[in-house]
Amino acid sequence: MVDVAEKEMDNPTFRSDTVLSDVHLHCPSKRHLMVRLNAVGQPVFLSYFKLLWSTEDLASGKHVREITTGREHQSRSGDELCDKDRSNVKEEGELNSEGVEALLDDDGDVEVVRRPRSASDLQAEDLLRDIVCPVILMKGKEDAFEDEEQDCTCSDVLKIEHTMATPLEDVGKQVWRAAFLLADYILFQRDTFRGCSVLELGGGTGITSIIMGTVAKRVYCTDVGEDLLAMCEQNVALNKHLMEPGGGEIKVRELDWLKDEFCTDPEAPYSWSEEEIADLLDHCSVIMAADVFYDDDLTDALFRTLYRITHNLRNSCTVYLALEKRLNFTLRHMDITCEAYSHFRNTLNDLENLQDGKMKYTVEPIKLDFCQFLVYERIEQL
């Protein structure tokens, strides 16, 4: 089985329903090798994602502009990064405003204007990037880099086990940009989330919950599928050093949006106890979800779950939703559309306009001018 998988990785083929995340292509990796096969035979990779500021600095309560470390690749302050990004955006806008004629060369060919490089891009250049050479090292749950892991508990590195290509039903095992965007916002507004009790819906590999765990008191990271939840739990364990300074706790639990109740079966590996359900309903003040709006039926199910949970909470709650608009050409419209995003917006509007005499929802967009704390490509579709 291993030999077959090795040959498949040398000459990869993808089915029509294969879904790939490209986050790993834009993030510098200290090590990016296949470490094992999971329970269903999918290759599992371990990626290192760089934090632009360490959680020790964040936990100390310093404002971003006060953080100046001597570490390599961390010489810029937060304000300098933001100012640089804003100036790049401004320059791009001024260039585009010159009109089409300014973008033509002497022969009349269109000159391609490259996106101005942000400060995060410049920093990423300085970080070492190993060649990606997928190699199956072993089959099983053992960590192939166990010795190396013991020396790599840096406070500025996020370690995530994930897959790089899956069928649609397993996309939670991949890494998606919106999770990093929401993580950036959590770190930027960390005082808002400090000491909170938080629920994440569709936590996937656990990236956002792990970052939330650096500031929140307790995080319930939920999803479905024993294999996915085991991967999420592994990632929580890999990054426990990030949460220790703040004393945060992450509990990985099953939460199926297609069911009306919490899983309380004691035989199920990620079921809820009655005490945990009571704790969630009594203390939860933040619910979050990242990149979970790609299927209309699941979007409907998520909003039903969201309504059911918020209806039973003792206190008011703020819900943070992050997503990437994915544009596709459809034969039905004969145009480039974003149907999943359109359905999400329509469902969100229905929730805001809901008048049942019990709940009131208010929707507000968040400006994306906050600083970037993780090395990834923050594209305009986020």
Side-chain angles (χ1 to χ4, degrees), residues 21 23 44-45 49 158-164 166 170-177 179-180 200-211 221-224 227-239 250 252 290 292:
S21 166
V23 166
V44 175
F45 293 78
F49 297 99
L158 180 68
K159 295 171 289 186
I160 296 295
E161 283 195 0
H162 63 96
T163 59
M164 287 198 292
T166 65
D170 280 337
V171 292
K173 297 176 183 176
Q174 297 189 52
V175 177
W176 303 100
R177 286 192 189 92
F180 288 113
E200 181 174 14
L201 301 174
T205 58
I207 292 172
T208 310
S209 283
I210 290 168
I211 294 298
C221 181
T222 67
D223 216 309
V224 292
D227 195 48
L228 171 58
L229 293 171
M231 174 182 287
C232 181
E233 192 171 54
Q234 168 72 357
N235 287 331
V236 171
L238 285 173
N239 294 280
I250 298 179
V252 179
V292 295

Side-chain angles (χ1 to χ4, degrees), residues 222-225 229 252-257 259-274 276-277 308:
T222 67
D223 216 309
V224 292
L229 293 171
V252 179
R253 294 291 179 265
E254 178 183 333
L255 183 55
D256 191 340
W257 306 339
K259 298 179 181 179
D260 294 332
E261 302 294 337
F262 292 94
C263 175
T264 56
D265 181 2
E267 300 297 324
Y270 297 97
S271 63
W272 297 71
S273 68
E274 295 296 336
E276 290 170 341
I277 296 175
R308 174 173 58 84

Side-chain angles (χ1 to χ4, degrees), residues 23 26-28 49-50 118 120-121 177-178 180-182 184 370-379 382:
V23 166
H26 302 283
C27 293
F49 297 99
K50 183 76 172 179
S118 66
S120 60
D121 294 330
R177 286 192 189 92
F180 288 113
L181 180 72
L182 186 52
D184 271 346
F370 49 88
C371 296
Q372 189 165 334
F373 290 82
L374 285 154
V375 176
Y376 67 101
E377 188 182 30
R378 189 186 284 187
I379 61 177
L382 287 174

Side-chain angles (χ1 to χ4, degrees), residues 109-121:
D109 297 324
V110 176
E111 295 241 335
V112 178
V113 179
R114 301 298 180 186
R115 177 178 63 84
R117 295 193 301 172
S118 66
S120 60
D121 294 330

